[in-house]
């Protein structure tokens, strides 16, 4: 009986800690059924090529969500300018690379520096002049969109050199010329044997690296006296996420291999996940969101932390801009529209609190994937764009409502 109670408690803990993952899986299965019924089995959400497209099309959301999370942690603050910054940095990249023929590495460095400077510009007024983030970034949204249109003179710049596109739009390993000798049938599909094997090996390496990092992190927390989840919950979490990685890997292996953009996303997610959870400056973000006055009295320089959060958002926006122009193969004055909404919604859907102080990079990533699946699934079903906006708005409202109700329940109000 005691073992049964422990198992039940562990399962509840696993479900509570990974609620959005289970919801995401449920939504994907629902879309798969609906798509199968509508297309009579001719289309599938889980087609390998479609999984690859979901990753490529929503890479910018994942990137922006990691940066937006840092702003939200400081007290529910947001950055409304990111879409306009994406447009401006993309426009400048087009001028540097296409019009001026600048070396690609130099143009990328300049774009990252400019994006960081724009973020620092916002951060200065927010942290030191104490203009509310909403007003500062709303002004930035209008300002940088106007500058982007001026830089481009209202016209797109295209195409970009293939060397630049390969940095974000290529795949590993590079598939050779298709021949019968290197083809194999998997689940009724003909795939490249070389791509399949290499991608699966890389997937297993990723799983192993993930397991090692999680185990080492847990042991470190135990050594330092931090409270950790039960061993059963921890093992269940590792098993669930490892299975998810393997399933994703086999989908990619059956298509064109591992997208290079996915490697970039992995680096960003790992870096920001470690920063927010395992560094003192990262924990300062949570401290300010929990109680800014208490954090200040404890010796935290809240102004510098706020300045960093928005400076970083500018840098992340520049990275998203470089990815976006590679996917579109053009710099456009209309690029980045509503990107800020996608990033904000991803964070809240992924469990970030509207009041700040709560949220994880992993949760923001799950939220971004959730948004991507919603977009992709509804597009395949042929849902009208207006209805798509309505559905996403309702999902965001429900996510914030859940957060508010949870806080009221905890406080007993």
């Amino acid at each position: 009986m005691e073992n049964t109670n422990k198992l039940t408690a562990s399962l509840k803990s696993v479900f509570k800690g990974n609620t959005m993952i289970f919801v995401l899986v449920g939504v994907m299965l629902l879309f798969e059924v609906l798509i199968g019924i509508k297309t009579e089995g001719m289309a599938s959400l889980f087609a390998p090529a479609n999984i690859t497209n979901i990753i490529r099309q929503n890479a910018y959301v994942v990137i922006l969500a990691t940066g937006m999370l840092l702003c939200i942690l400081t007290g529910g603050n947001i950055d409304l300018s990111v879409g306009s910054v994406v447009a401006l940095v993309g426009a400048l990249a087009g001028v540097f690379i296409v019009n001026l023929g600048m070396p690609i590495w130099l143009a990328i460095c300049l774009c990252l520096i400019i994006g960081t400077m724009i973020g620092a510009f916002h951060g200065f007024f927010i942290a030191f002049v104490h203009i509310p983030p909403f007003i500062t970034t709303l002004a930035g949204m209008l300002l940088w969109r106007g500058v982007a249109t001026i830089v481009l003179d209202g016209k797109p710049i295209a195409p970009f050199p293939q060397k630049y596109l390969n940095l974000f739009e290529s795949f590993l390993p590079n598939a050779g010329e298709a021949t019968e000798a290197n083809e194999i049938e998997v689940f009724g599909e003909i795939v490249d044997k070389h791509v399949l094997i290499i991608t699966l090996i890389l997937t297993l390496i990723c799983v192993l690296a993930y397991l090692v990092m999680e185990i080492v992190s847990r042991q470190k927390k135990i050594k330092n006296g931090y409270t950790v989840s039960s061993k059963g919950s921890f093992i269940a979490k590792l098993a669930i996420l490892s299975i998810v990685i393997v399933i994703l890997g086999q989908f990619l292996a059956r298509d064109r291999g591992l997208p290079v953009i996915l490697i970039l996303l992995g680096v960003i997610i790992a870096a920001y996940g470690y920063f927010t959870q395992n560094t003192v400056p990262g924990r300062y973000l949570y401290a300010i969101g929990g109680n800014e006055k208490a954090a200040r009295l404890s010796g935290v320089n809240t102004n510098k932390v706020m300045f960093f959060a928005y400076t970083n958002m500018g840098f992340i926006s520049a990275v998203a801009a470089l990815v976006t122009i590679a996917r579109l193969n053009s710099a456009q004055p209309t690029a980045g529209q509503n990107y800020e909404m996608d990033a904000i919604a991803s964070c809240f859907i992924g469990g970030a609190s509207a009041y700040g102080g709560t949220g994880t990079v992993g949760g923001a990533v799950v939220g971004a994937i959730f948004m991507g699946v919603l977009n992709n699934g509804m597009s395949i079903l042929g849902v009208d764009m207006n209805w798509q906006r309505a559905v996403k708005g309702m999902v965001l409202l429900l996510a914030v409502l859940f957060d508010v109700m949870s806080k009221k329940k905890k406080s007993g109000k």
Side-chain angles (χ1 to χ4, degrees), residues 368-384:
I369 297 172
F370 187 89
M371 293 289 289
V373 169
L374 274 183
N375 289 332
N376 187 266
M378 289 190 291
S379 296
I380 295 176
L381 288 171
V383 178
D384 182 77

Side-chain angles (χ1 to χ4, degrees), residues 184-410:
I184 187 173
E185 185 175 340
V186 180
F187 298 130
E189 300 174 350
I190 302 299
V191 300
D192 188 296
K193 188 192 304 181
H194 176 66
V195 170
L196 178 71
I197 294 173
I198 298 298
T199 305
L200 290 178
I201 291 174
L202 291 174
T203 300
L204 293 177
I205 292 174
C206 290
V207 171
L208 182 61
Y210 165 71
L211 293 175
V212 171
M213 288 174 58
E214 286 293 318
I215 292 172
V216 170
S217 176
R218 177 182 170 84
Q219 292 301 319
K220 186 177 179 181
K221 289 179 179 178
I222 292 174
K223 184 179 178 180
N224 292 330
Y226 291 110
T227 302
V228 295
S229 60
S230 66
K231 186 178 291 187
S233 299
F234 178 68
I235 293 174
K237 174 189 172 184
L238 294 183
I240 291 171
L241 293 181
S242 295
I243 291 172
V244 170
I245 295 173
V246 171
I247 292 175
L248 175 61
Q250 67 85 25
F251 279 126
L252 299 177
R254 288 159 54 198
D255 188 32
R256 286 167 285 178
L258 192 68
V260 171
I261 187 61
L262 186 59
I263 298 175
L264 175 62
L265 294 181
V267 171
I268 291 174
I269 292 168
Y272 279 85
Y274 181 85
F275 172 77
T276 54
Q277 298 297 318
N278 298 283
T279 67
V280 175
R283 302 311 297 178
Y284 283 167
L285 295 165
Y286 289 91
I288 293 176
N291 191 320
E292 183 176 356
K293 185 177 180 180
R296 189 185 304 113
L297 293 174
S298 299
V300 177
N301 190 325
T302 56
N303 289 342
K304 284 187 177 180
V305 174
M306 289 291 290
F307 179 77
F308 165 77
Y310 282 89
T311 300
N312 172 76
M313 191 70 249
F315 169 78
I316 282 293
S317 298
V319 175
L322 296 174
V323 170
T324 298
I325 60 174
R327 182 173 66 86
L328 300 176
N329 195 16
S330 66
Q332 303 177 9
T334 57
Q337 287 186 344
N338 294 324
Y339 278 19
E340 58 278 350
M341 301 305 171
D342 290 335
I344 294 167
S346 298
C347 291
F348 289 139
I349 291 172
S353 172
Y355 303 101
T358 302
T360 63
V361 170
V365 172
V366 172
I369 297 172
F370 187 89
M371 293 289 289
V373 169
L374 274 183
N375 289 332
N376 187 266
M378 289 190 291
S379 296
I380 295 176
L381 288 171
V383 178
D384 182 77
M385 187 60 67
N386 295 318
W387 278 107
Q388 290 190 33
R389 294 192 184 99
V391 170
K392 289 191 288 185
M394 184 58 66
V395 169
L396 175 58
L397 180 61
L398 290 174
V400 176
L401 178 63
F402 178 78
D403 173 53
V404 173
M405 296 302 293
S406 297
K407 286 194 176 300
K408 285 186 177 180
K409 186 177 180 181
K410 288 179 180 179

Side-chain angles (χ1 to χ4, degrees), residues 147-156 333:
V147 174
T149 305
I150 292 170
V151 169
L152 292 174
D153 194 25
K155 304 172 186 175

